[in-house]
Amino acid sequence: MRLDKFLKVSRLIKRRTLAKEVADQGRITINGKKAKASADVKVGDELSIRFGQKVVTAKVNLLKDTVKKDEANLMYTILKEERLEKVEPEFIDDED
């Protein structure tokens, strides 16, 4: 199954076009490798998705073309959620 379709059907990302944009920006990895929207997702794959200052890592449990809203969370297991440290810009001291 295509990555963008999996993200939409599983409801990890609400819209397929948004899933495609996020993938094309290089914010999704499959098993540690950057993935495009057309990448193939298989059961057992580990997805890492960067949402702003948060990274969600999920394992793919099930592939289905359609699923009811209350069953969508059966398609994956959240392994971890991490907050990224906000990097403060360094100020340049011009008083020299």
Side-chain angles (χ1 to χ4, degrees):
M1 176 182 283
R2 283 177 56 109
L3 174 61
D4 55 350
K5 184 168 183 177
F6 174 80
L7 293 171
K8 182 216 178 269
V9 173
S10 68
R11 292 172 173 80
L12 279 167
I13 296 180
K14 293 202 186 273
R15 292 189 325 270
R16 190 167 177 176
T17 53
L18 184 58
K20 182 181 181 332
E21 288 174 19
V22 171
D24 291 345
Q25 292 170 358
R27 295 169 37 195
I28 301 176
T29 62
I30 299 176
N31 300 324
K33 296 180 182 175
K34 281 191 180 181
K36 293 187 178 187
S38 61
D40 197 36
V41 176
K42 297 179 283 307
V43 172
D45 282 349
E46 194 171 292
L47 308 177
S48 290
I49 309 162
R50 185 166 51 88
F51 297 102
Q53 296 300 316
K54 184 170 79 169
V55 176
V56 175
T57 304
K59 183 178 179 182
V60 177
N61 296 334
L62 178 69
L63 298 176
K64 279 190 167 184
D65 286 334
T66 58
V67 68
K68 294 179 181 175
K69 187 176 183 177
D70 56 339
E71 296 173 356
N73 62 345
L74 300 176
M75 293 182 69
Y76 61 89
T77 303
I78 299 292
L79 300 176
K80 62 183 171 181
E81 288 187 41
E82 303 174 279
R83 274 229 169 280
L84 297 175
E85 294 291 323
K86 234 181 183 178
V87 178
E88 295 293 326
E90 292 185 31
F91 293 101
I92 299 172
D93 188 9
D94 290 333
E95 293 180 15
D96 291 334

